[in-house]
Amino acid sequence: PMATTGFHELPELPYGYASLEPFMDEATMVVHHDKHHAGYTRNFNAALTAIQAAGGEGAKICTMSPENILRQLNTLPITPEQRTPLRNHGGGYWNHGMFWSVMAPPKERQEHPTGHLSTAMANTFGSLDAFKKEFSKVGAGVFGSGWAWLVAEGPQENPTLKVVSTANQDSPFTVGQFPLLVVDVWEHAYYLRYQNRRPDFLEAWWQLVNWKTVDDRYKEYTGKN
C-alpha cells in the first residue's frame, strides 16, 4: 500500500486508474485517490494522533475501527473540537474506500442485484430502473458537496431500504444507517470529464456499479446468504 504513517493506511484501488474508462477518466482517478483520499487519510491520522496525545478517556478511540468511530461519533468522550475532524476526515477516509469498492471495470462488474437484495429492492422501489431514477435524482439534488447512498436500517431480518444523501463527508453510520451503495457527488469526483454536468456523470456511473459488493454488504447486514 502507499505509505501513510499512522493508524490507518490509504487503501489501494482494487483496479487500475484507467480501468473505469470511458465512464470515469484516468486523470480524475489519479487525483481523487492519490491526492484527495490520501489527504483525508493523513488528516484522519493526525486527528487520532492529537486525541491520543491529549490522553484521558478519548485515547481508546485510536484502537477503534473507522466504522465504529463513525457509528459512535456523537457519544465519544471527546470535545467538539476533537469530534469535528473525525466527522470530516474519518468520514472522508471511510466514504472514499466504500466508493472505490462499489465500482468495477465495466466488463468485470456484476450488472444487477441478486438474491435477497434483489427481492428487497423490488419490494421497496418497484424495479431496478425506478431505483436508479430515484438514486440519481437524490445525487443530482445534493446542494454543494456530498454523497448519495442506498442504506439499510432497522431490524436485521427485514430492514428498510432507503435512498438518502449526506452533506460534506457525513456518514450514514452516524445516524444508525448501514451503507450498501454510494456515489461521490463532490465536484472533484467528476469535474475534469463532466464539468458542471453532474446528471451526466451519474448516468454514466451506473455502467461502473458492481452489484456484487452491494449484495455482499446486504448479506453482512442481514446475515442472510
Side-chain angles (χ1 to χ4, degrees):
M2 299 182 65
T4 314
T5 53
F7 300 95
H8 301 288
E9 288 196 329
L10 175 64
E12 287 189 357
L13 285 175
Y15 31 72
Y17 295 108
S19 301
L20 305 183
E21 292 270 14
F23 307 105
M24 203 172 282
D25 58 294
E26 181 177 9
T28 291
M29 291 299 294
V30 170
V31 173
H32 200 172
H33 178 267
D34 293 7
K35 299 290 192 284
H36 289 282
H37 196 184
Y40 286 114
T41 305
R42 263 195 315 278
N43 291 330
F44 182 34
N45 282 328
L48 291 170
T49 301
I51 287 169
Q52 188 178 50
E57 211 189 333
K60 66 175 187 194
I61 294 165
C62 299
T63 62
M64 290 168 64
S65 69
E67 188 173 307
N68 283 335
I69 289 173
L70 295 170
R71 283 179 197 273
Q72 299 170 40
L73 187 68
N74 293 328
T75 55
L76 294 172
I78 50 175
T79 66
E81 293 72 28
Q82 291 172 318
R83 199 180 320 276
T84 298
L86 295 183
R87 177 188 300 279
N88 292 338
H89 302 295
Y93 174 77
W94 193 91
N95 295 350
H96 281 91
M98 167 97 182
F99 182 49
W100 311 137
S101 79
V102 301
M103 298 186 289
K107 290 189 171 61
E108 295 170 27
R109 71 192 188 99
Q110 179 183 307
E111 293 185 13
H112 45 76
T114 60
H116 292 293
L117 175 63
S118 178
T119 305
M121 288 184 67
N123 290 341
T124 304
F125 302 104
S127 68
L128 187 57
D129 282 345
F131 161 73
K132 287 180 179 176
K133 193 176 273 186
E134 182 176 338
F135 190 96
S136 293
K137 186 177 168 189
V138 168
V142 172
F143 182 76
S145 299
W147 305 74
W149 308 81
L150 172 67
V151 300
E153 69 176 2
Q156 279 184 287
E157 61 282 357
N158 188 24
T160 302
L161 296 182
K162 284 183 180 168
V163 175
V164 299
S165 64
T166 59
N168 301 314
Q169 295 296 351
D170 290 0
S171 170
F173 280 131
T174 308
V175 291
Q177 297 169 330
F178 186 85
L180 301 172
L181 175 66
V182 67
V183 65
D184 187 348
V185 294
W186 282 62
E187 282 192 341
H188 65 235
Y190 60 86
Y191 204 82
L192 293 181
R193 176 148 295 177
Y194 297 95
Q195 287 80 48
N196 60 328
R197 304 188 309 278
R198 190 192 286 174
D200 293 356
F201 160 67
L202 289 166
E203 190 174 335
W205 177 75
W206 291 113
Q207 305 299 316
L208 300 172
V209 172
N210 182 13
W211 285 96
K212 168 129 187 29
T213 304
V214 193
D215 279 350
D216 288 347
R217 290 193 64 77
Y218 189 70
K219 287 173 191 168
E220 185 185 335
Y221 187 81
T222 60
K224 290 184 201 167
N225 272 313

